[in-house]
Structures are given as structure tokens and as C-alpha cells.
mmCIF file of all heavy atoms in Angstrom:
data_model
loop_
_atom_site.group_PDB
_atom_site.id
_atom_site.type_symbol
_atom_site.label_atom_id
_atom_site.label_comp_id
_atom_site.label_asym_id
_atom_site.label_seq_id
_atom_site.Cartn_x
_atom_site.Cartn_y
_atom_site.Cartn_z
ATOM 1 N N ALA G 1 66.180 -82.544 -30.410
ATOM 2 C CA ALA G 1 66.525 -83.507 -29.362
ATOM 3 C C ALA G 1 67.136 -82.846 -28.134
ATOM 4 O O ALA G 1 67.195 -83.459 -27.068
ATOM 5 C CB ALA G 1 67.493 -84.555 -29.904
ATOM 6 N N GLY G 2 67.604 -81.598 -28.263
ATOM 7 C CA GLY G 2 68.224 -80.898 -27.141
ATOM 8 C C GLY G 2 69.718 -80.692 -27.297
ATOM 9 O O GLY G 2 70.391 -80.259 -26.361
ATOM 10 N N LYS G 3 70.266 -80.969 -28.492
ATOM 11 C CA LYS G 3 71.714 -80.860 -28.713
ATOM 12 C C LYS G 3 72.202 -79.425 -28.536
ATOM 13 O O LYS G 3 73.146 -79.164 -27.785
ATOM 14 C CB LYS G 3 72.082 -81.356 -30.119
ATOM 15 C CG LYS G 3 71.671 -82.770 -30.425
ATOM 16 C CD LYS G 3 72.245 -83.249 -31.738
ATOM 17 C CE LYS G 3 71.870 -82.374 -32.937
ATOM 18 N NZ LYS G 3 70.409 -82.379 -33.190
ATOM 19 N N THR G 4 71.566 -78.485 -29.245
ATOM 20 C CA THR G 4 72.035 -77.102 -29.218
ATOM 21 C C THR G 4 71.886 -76.493 -27.829
ATOM 22 O O THR G 4 72.778 -75.772 -27.356
ATOM 23 C CB THR G 4 71.268 -76.256 -30.251
ATOM 24 O OG1 THR G 4 71.627 -76.699 -31.571
ATOM 25 C CG2 THR G 4 71.615 -74.774 -30.119
ATOM 26 N N THR G 5 70.791 -76.784 -27.150
ATOM 27 C CA THR G 5 70.615 -76.267 -25.785
ATOM 28 C C THR G 5 71.710 -76.800 -24.871
ATOM 29 O O THR G 5 72.277 -76.050 -24.061
ATOM 30 C CB THR G 5 69.229 -76.663 -25.242
ATOM 31 O OG1 THR G 5 68.211 -76.094 -26.072
ATOM 32 C CG2 THR G 5 69.047 -76.167 -23.814
ATOM 33 N N THR G 6 72.040 -78.075 -24.993
ATOM 34 C CA THR G 6 73.121 -78.646 -24.182
ATOM 35 C C THR G 6 74.445 -77.946 -24.465
ATOM 36 O O THR G 6 75.188 -77.601 -23.535
ATOM 37 C CB THR G 6 73.255 -80.156 -24.470
ATOM 38 O OG1 THR G 6 72.012 -80.804 -24.165
ATOM 39 C CG2 THR G 6 74.370 -80.773 -23.651
ATOM 40 N N LEU G 7 74.741 -77.704 -25.738
ATOM 41 C CA LEU G 7 75.994 -77.036 -26.089
ATOM 42 C C LEU G 7 76.026 -75.606 -25.562
ATOM 43 O O LEU G 7 77.070 -75.127 -25.100
ATOM 44 C CB LEU G 7 76.183 -77.031 -27.609
ATOM 45 C CG LEU G 7 76.407 -78.388 -28.283
ATOM 46 C CD1 LEU G 7 76.718 -78.194 -29.755
ATOM 47 C CD2 LEU G 7 77.531 -79.159 -27.610
ATOM 48 N N ARG G 8 74.915 -74.914 -25.625
ATOM 49 C CA ARG G 8 74.876 -73.536 -25.128
ATOM 50 C C ARG G 8 75.115 -73.484 -23.626
ATOM 51 O O ARG G 8 75.735 -72.544 -23.121
ATOM 52 C CB ARG G 8 73.540 -72.886 -25.489
ATOM 53 C CG ARG G 8 73.365 -72.619 -26.980
ATOM 54 C CD ARG G 8 72.039 -71.940 -27.272
ATOM 55 N NE ARG G 8 72.003 -70.604 -26.702
ATOM 56 C CZ ARG G 8 70.909 -69.830 -26.658
ATOM 57 N NH1 ARG G 8 69.753 -70.311 -27.143
ATOM 58 N NH2 ARG G 8 70.961 -68.633 -26.138
ATOM 59 N N ILE G 9 74.638 -74.487 -22.906
ATOM 60 C CA ILE G 9 74.898 -74.547 -21.466
ATOM 61 C C ILE G 9 76.379 -74.818 -21.212
ATOM 62 O O ILE G 9 77.008 -74.181 -20.353
ATOM 63 C CB ILE G 9 74.020 -75.615 -20.796
ATOM 64 C CG1 ILE G 9 72.541 -75.181 -20.830
ATOM 65 C CG2 ILE G 9 74.459 -75.857 -19.355
ATOM 66 C CD1 ILE G 9 71.572 -76.255 -20.383
ATOM 67 N N LEU G 10 76.978 -75.734 -21.981
ATOM 68 C CA LEU G 10 78.402 -76.031 -21.822
ATOM 69 C C LEU G 10 79.263 -74.809 -22.126
ATOM 70 O O LEU G 10 80.312 -74.611 -21.514
ATOM 71 C CB LEU G 10 78.806 -77.182 -22.741
ATOM 72 C CG LEU G 10 78.234 -78.559 -22.416
ATOM 73 C CD1 LEU G 10 78.692 -79.577 -23.448
ATOM 74 C CD2 LEU G 10 78.638 -79.002 -21.026
ATOM 75 N N ALA G 11 78.809 -73.975 -23.068
ATOM 76 C CA ALA G 11 79.557 -72.782 -23.451
ATOM 77 C C ALA G 11 79.225 -71.572 -22.589
ATOM 78 O O ALA G 11 79.714 -70.473 -22.846
ATOM 79 C CB ALA G 11 79.290 -72.455 -24.924
ATOM 80 N N CYS G 12 78.378 -71.760 -21.573
ATOM 81 C CA CYS G 12 77.939 -70.659 -20.695
ATOM 82 C C CYS G 12 77.164 -69.593 -21.456
ATOM 83 O O CYS G 12 77.164 -68.416 -21.078
ATOM 84 C CB CYS G 12 79.121 -70.019 -19.972
ATOM 85 S SG CYS G 12 79.680 -70.970 -18.562
ATOM 86 N N ASP G 13 76.504 -69.988 -22.523
ATOM 87 C CA ASP G 13 75.613 -69.075 -23.242
ATOM 88 C C ASP G 13 74.210 -69.137 -22.647
ATOM 89 O O ASP G 13 73.414 -68.230 -22.829
ATOM 90 C CB ASP G 13 75.591 -69.469 -24.730
ATOM 91 C CG ASP G 13 74.893 -68.444 -25.596
ATOM 92 O OD1 ASP G 13 75.050 -67.241 -25.319
ATOM 93 O OD2 ASP G 13 74.188 -68.844 -26.541
ATOM 94 N N LEU G 14 73.909 -70.237 -21.945
ATOM 95 C CA LEU G 14 72.661 -70.417 -21.203
ATOM 96 C C LEU G 14 72.992 -70.976 -19.831
ATOM 97 O O LEU G 14 73.989 -71.696 -19.678
ATOM 98 C CB LEU G 14 71.745 -71.422 -21.915
ATOM 99 C CG LEU G 14 70.877 -70.981 -23.083
ATOM 100 C CD1 LEU G 14 70.120 -72.198 -23.618
ATOM 101 C CD2 LEU G 14 69.903 -69.891 -22.679
ATOM 102 N N LEU G 15 72.173 -70.669 -18.848
ATOM 103 C CA LEU G 15 72.327 -71.273 -17.536
ATOM 104 C C LEU G 15 71.339 -72.432 -17.398
ATOM 105 O O LEU G 15 70.228 -72.366 -17.907
ATOM 106 C CB LEU G 15 72.066 -70.234 -16.436
ATOM 107 C CG LEU G 15 73.107 -69.127 -16.305
ATOM 108 C CD1 LEU G 15 72.686 -68.156 -15.203
ATOM 109 C CD2 LEU G 15 74.493 -69.684 -16.017
ATOM 110 N N PRO G 16 71.743 -73.506 -16.707
ATOM 111 C CA PRO G 16 70.823 -74.629 -16.503
ATOM 112 C C PRO G 16 69.721 -74.266 -15.525
ATOM 113 O O PRO G 16 69.888 -73.382 -14.678
ATOM 114 C CB PRO G 16 71.730 -75.717 -15.937
ATOM 115 C CG PRO G 16 72.836 -74.983 -15.261
ATOM 116 C CD PRO G 16 73.058 -73.743 -16.085
ATOM 117 N N THR G 17 68.595 -74.953 -15.635
ATOM 118 C CA THR G 17 67.526 -74.787 -14.640
ATOM 119 C C THR G 17 67.952 -75.415 -13.320
ATOM 120 O O THR G 17 67.730 -74.853 -12.246
ATOM 121 C CB THR G 17 66.228 -75.430 -15.142
ATOM 122 O OG1 THR G 17 65.855 -74.804 -16.375
ATOM 123 C CG2 THR G 17 65.100 -75.240 -14.128
ATOM 124 N N SER G 18 68.552 -76.579 -13.391
ATOM 125 C CA SER G 18 69.097 -77.227 -12.191
ATOM 126 C C SER G 18 70.134 -78.244 -12.611
ATOM 127 O O SER G 18 70.357 -78.493 -13.794
ATOM 128 C CB SER G 18 67.980 -77.889 -11.386
ATOM 129 O OG SER G 18 67.487 -79.016 -12.086
ATOM 130 N N GLY G 19 70.774 -78.846 -11.598
ATOM 131 C CA GLY G 19 71.864 -79.757 -11.870
ATOM 132 C C GLY G 19 73.179 -79.004 -11.871
ATOM 133 O O GLY G 19 73.220 -77.792 -11.654
ATOM 134 N N SER G 20 74.272 -79.710 -12.117
ATOM 135 C CA SER G 20 75.584 -79.070 -12.104
ATOM 136 C C SER G 20 76.348 -79.398 -13.374
ATOM 137 O O SER G 20 76.265 -80.500 -13.910
ATOM 138 C CB SER G 20 76.389 -79.520 -10.884
ATOM 139 O OG SER G 20 76.724 -80.892 -10.974
ATOM 140 N N VAL G 21 77.090 -78.396 -13.854
ATOM 141 C CA VAL G 21 77.997 -78.559 -14.981
ATOM 142 C C VAL G 21 79.318 -77.928 -14.574
ATOM 143 O O VAL G 21 79.376 -76.739 -14.241
ATOM 144 C CB VAL G 21 77.463 -77.878 -16.255
ATOM 145 C CG1 VAL G 21 78.458 -78.040 -17.397
ATOM 146 C CG2 VAL G 21 76.109 -78.434 -16.649
ATOM 147 N N ARG G 22 80.379 -78.728 -14.606
ATOM 148 C CA ARG G 22 81.700 -78.232 -14.229
ATOM 149 C C ARG G 22 82.645 -78.425 -15.410
ATOM 150 O O ARG G 22 82.733 -79.511 -15.983
ATOM 151 C CB ARG G 22 82.235 -78.957 -12.998
ATOM 152 C CG ARG G 22 81.322 -78.825 -11.776
ATOM 153 C CD ARG G 22 81.890 -79.542 -10.563
ATOM 154 N NE ARG G 22 83.057 -78.852 -10.029
ATOM 155 C CZ ARG G 22 82.977 -77.846 -9.160
ATOM 156 N NH1 ARG G 22 81.792 -77.411 -8.738
ATOM 157 N NH2 ARG G 22 84.063 -77.263 -8.712
ATOM 158 N N VAL G 23 83.348 -77.342 -15.749
ATOM 159 C CA VAL G 23 84.322 -77.354 -16.841
ATOM 160 C C VAL G 23 85.685 -77.029 -16.242
ATOM 161 O O VAL G 23 85.880 -75.947 -15.695
ATOM 162 C CB VAL G 23 83.962 -76.336 -17.936
ATOM 163 C CG1 VAL G 23 85.038 -76.314 -19.016
ATOM 164 C CG2 VAL G 23 82.607 -76.661 -18.547
ATOM 165 N N GLY G 24 86.608 -77.982 -16.311
ATOM 166 C CA GLY G 24 87.916 -77.760 -15.711
ATOM 167 C C GLY G 24 87.835 -77.479 -14.223
ATOM 168 O O GLY G 24 88.644 -76.723 -13.676
ATOM 169 N N GLY G 25 86.856 -78.081 -13.560
ATOM 170 C CA GLY G 25 86.684 -77.895 -12.133
ATOM 171 C C GLY G 25 85.876 -76.683 -11.735
ATOM 172 O O GLY G 25 85.594 -76.483 -10.556
ATOM 173 N N LEU G 26 85.467 -75.857 -12.715
ATOM 174 C CA LEU G 26 84.719 -74.631 -12.434
ATOM 175 C C LEU G 26 83.240 -74.850 -12.727
ATOM 176 O O LEU G 26 82.882 -75.386 -13.785
ATOM 177 C CB LEU G 26 85.253 -73.467 -13.272
ATOM 178 C CG LEU G 26 86.723 -73.084 -13.053
ATOM 179 C CD1 LEU G 26 87.150 -72.030 -14.067
ATOM 180 C CD2 LEU G 26 86.940 -72.570 -11.634
ATOM 181 N N ASP G 27 82.378 -74.398 -11.832
ATOM 182 C CA ASP G 27 80.944 -74.523 -12.010
ATOM 183 C C ASP G 27 80.438 -73.414 -12.930
ATOM 184 O O ASP G 27 80.767 -72.240 -12.742
ATOM 185 C CB ASP G 27 80.230 -74.429 -10.652
ATOM 186 C CG ASP G 27 78.763 -74.786 -10.750
ATOM 187 O OD1 ASP G 27 77.974 -73.916 -11.182
ATOM 188 O OD2 ASP G 27 78.409 -75.925 -10.397
ATOM 189 N N VAL G 28 79.612 -73.784 -13.931
ATOM 190 C CA VAL G 28 79.165 -72.797 -14.926
ATOM 191 C C VAL G 28 78.207 -71.772 -14.330
ATOM 192 O O VAL G 28 78.043 -70.683 -14.882
ATOM 193 C CB VAL G 28 78.498 -73.484 -16.137
ATOM 194 C CG1 VAL G 28 79.460 -74.415 -16.846
ATOM 195 C CG2 VAL G 28 77.229 -74.214 -15.732
ATOM 196 N N VAL G 29 77.545 -72.100 -13.209
ATOM 197 C CA VAL G 29 76.637 -71.146 -12.561
ATOM 198 C C VAL G 29 77.398 -70.231 -11.621
ATOM 199 O O VAL G 29 77.191 -69.019 -11.596
ATOM 200 C CB VAL G 29 75.522 -71.903 -11.802
ATOM 201 C CG1 VAL G 29 74.643 -70.918 -11.022
ATOM 202 C CG2 VAL G 29 74.669 -72.704 -12.778
ATOM 203 N N GLU G 30 78.311 -70.798 -10.850
ATOM 204 C CA GLU G 30 79.041 -70.012 -9.857
ATOM 205 C C GLU G 30 80.121 -69.139 -10.483
ATOM 206 O O GLU G 30 80.371 -68.024 -10.006
ATOM 207 C CB GLU G 30 79.666 -70.953 -8.818
ATOM 208 C CG GLU G 30 78.650 -71.724 -7.989
ATOM 209 C CD GLU G 30 79.309 -72.724 -7.068
ATOM 210 O OE1 GLU G 30 80.572 -72.854 -7.128
ATOM 211 O OE2 GLU G 30 78.598 -73.375 -6.287
ATOM 212 N N LYS G 31 80.779 -69.625 -11.544
ATOM 213 C CA LYS G 31 81.891 -68.880 -12.137
ATOM 214 C C LYS G 31 81.793 -68.870 -13.663
ATOM 215 O O LYS G 31 82.680 -69.358 -14.360
ATOM 216 C CB LYS G 31 83.223 -69.487 -11.694
ATOM 217 C CG LYS G 31 83.444 -69.414 -10.184
ATOM 218 C CD LYS G 31 84.817 -69.924 -9.788
ATOM 219 C CE LYS G 31 85.039 -69.779 -8.294
ATOM 220 N NZ LYS G 31 86.379 -70.256 -7.877
ATOM 221 N N PRO G 32 80.714 -68.279 -14.192
ATOM 222 C CA PRO G 32 80.522 -68.315 -15.653
ATOM 223 C C PRO G 32 81.613 -67.577 -16.425
ATOM 224 O O PRO G 32 82.004 -68.013 -17.509
ATOM 225 C CB PRO G 32 79.154 -67.665 -15.844
ATOM 226 C CG PRO G 32 78.951 -66.829 -14.616
ATOM 227 C CD PRO G 32 79.622 -67.574 -13.512
ATOM 228 N N HIS G 33 82.110 -66.452 -15.916
ATOM 229 C CA HIS G 33 83.129 -65.688 -16.640
ATOM 230 C C HIS G 33 84.431 -66.474 -16.749
ATOM 231 O O HIS G 33 85.084 -66.473 -17.809
ATOM 232 C CB HIS G 33 83.371 -64.349 -15.962
ATOM 233 C CG HIS G 33 82.172 -63.451 -15.964
ATOM 234 N ND1 HIS G 33 81.603 -62.982 -17.124
ATOM 235 C CD2 HIS G 33 81.431 -62.951 -14.940
ATOM 236 C CE1 HIS G 33 80.554 -62.231 -16.833
ATOM 237 N NE2 HIS G 33 80.421 -62.192 -15.513
ATOM 238 N N GLU G 34 84.813 -67.154 -15.650
ATOM 239 C CA GLU G 34 86.028 -67.965 -15.693
ATOM 240 C C GLU G 34 85.876 -69.145 -16.655
ATOM 241 O O GLU G 34 86.808 -69.490 -17.386
ATOM 242 C CB GLU G 34 86.372 -68.474 -14.291
ATOM 243 C CG GLU G 34 86.863 -67.413 -13.338
ATOM 244 C CD GLU G 34 85.738 -66.709 -12.594
ATOM 245 O OE1 GLU G 34 84.572 -66.755 -13.088
ATOM 246 O OE2 GLU G 34 86.002 -66.110 -11.542
ATOM 247 N N VAL G 35 84.685 -69.745 -16.672
ATOM 248 C CA VAL G 35 84.444 -70.859 -17.595
ATOM 249 C C VAL G 35 84.531 -70.381 -19.038
ATOM 250 O O VAL G 35 85.142 -71.045 -19.887
ATOM 251 C CB VAL G 35 83.077 -71.512 -17.317
ATOM 252 C CG1 VAL G 35 82.755 -72.542 -18.405
ATOM 253 C CG2 VAL G 35 83.060 -72.181 -15.949
ATOM 254 N N ARG G 36 83.932 -69.232 -19.339
ATOM 255 C CA ARG G 36 83.970 -68.719 -20.724
ATOM 256 C C ARG G 36 85.404 -68.517 -21.195
ATOM 257 O O ARG G 36 85.700 -68.642 -22.383
ATOM 258 C CB ARG G 36 83.190 -67.405 -20.819
ATOM 259 C CG ARG G 36 81.681 -67.590 -20.682
ATOM 260 C CD ARG G 36 80.942 -66.301 -20.987
ATOM 261 N NE ARG G 36 79.527 -66.437 -20.685
ATOM 262 C CZ ARG G 36 78.929 -65.895 -19.625
ATOM 263 N NH1 ARG G 36 79.640 -65.164 -18.769
ATOM 264 N NH2 ARG G 36 77.647 -66.087 -19.415
ATOM 265 N N GLY G 37 86.308 -68.195 -20.275
ATOM 266 C CA GLY G 37 87.705 -68.019 -20.652
ATOM 267 C C GLY G 37 88.356 -69.318 -21.085
ATOM 268 O O GLY G 37 89.369 -69.303 -21.799
#
């Protein structure tokens, strides 16, 4: 269904093709290292 792929994007293990994901105000594409922390 796409569960694991979604989780990997949230964990910065994969980058999205498009769209935005922000964790604690940080964008997973622009600041992946900070998000992983």
C-alpha cells in the first residue's frame, strides 16, 4: 500500500519525488542531516 516507503521518507532514508515533508519545521530535502538527528 506504500506504508514502508512513506516511513522511509519520514526517516530521511528516501527522498520524495515531489511535495514537501517537514519534521519539526525542517524540510527533509533541504536539511536531511538535521532531520535525521
Side-chain angles (χ1 to χ4, degrees):
K3 302 188 303 296
T4 293
T5 299
T6 301
L7 293 186
R8 291 181 66 188
I9 292 171
L10 292 178
C12 281
D13 190 37
L14 278 178
L15 291 178
T17 301
S18 70
S20 67
V21 178
R22 302 181 71 86
V23 177
L26 300 173
D27 190 280
V28 299
V29 175
E30 295 175 357
K31 298 184 177 181
H33 297 298
E34 289 88 339
V35 172
R36 290 188 188 105

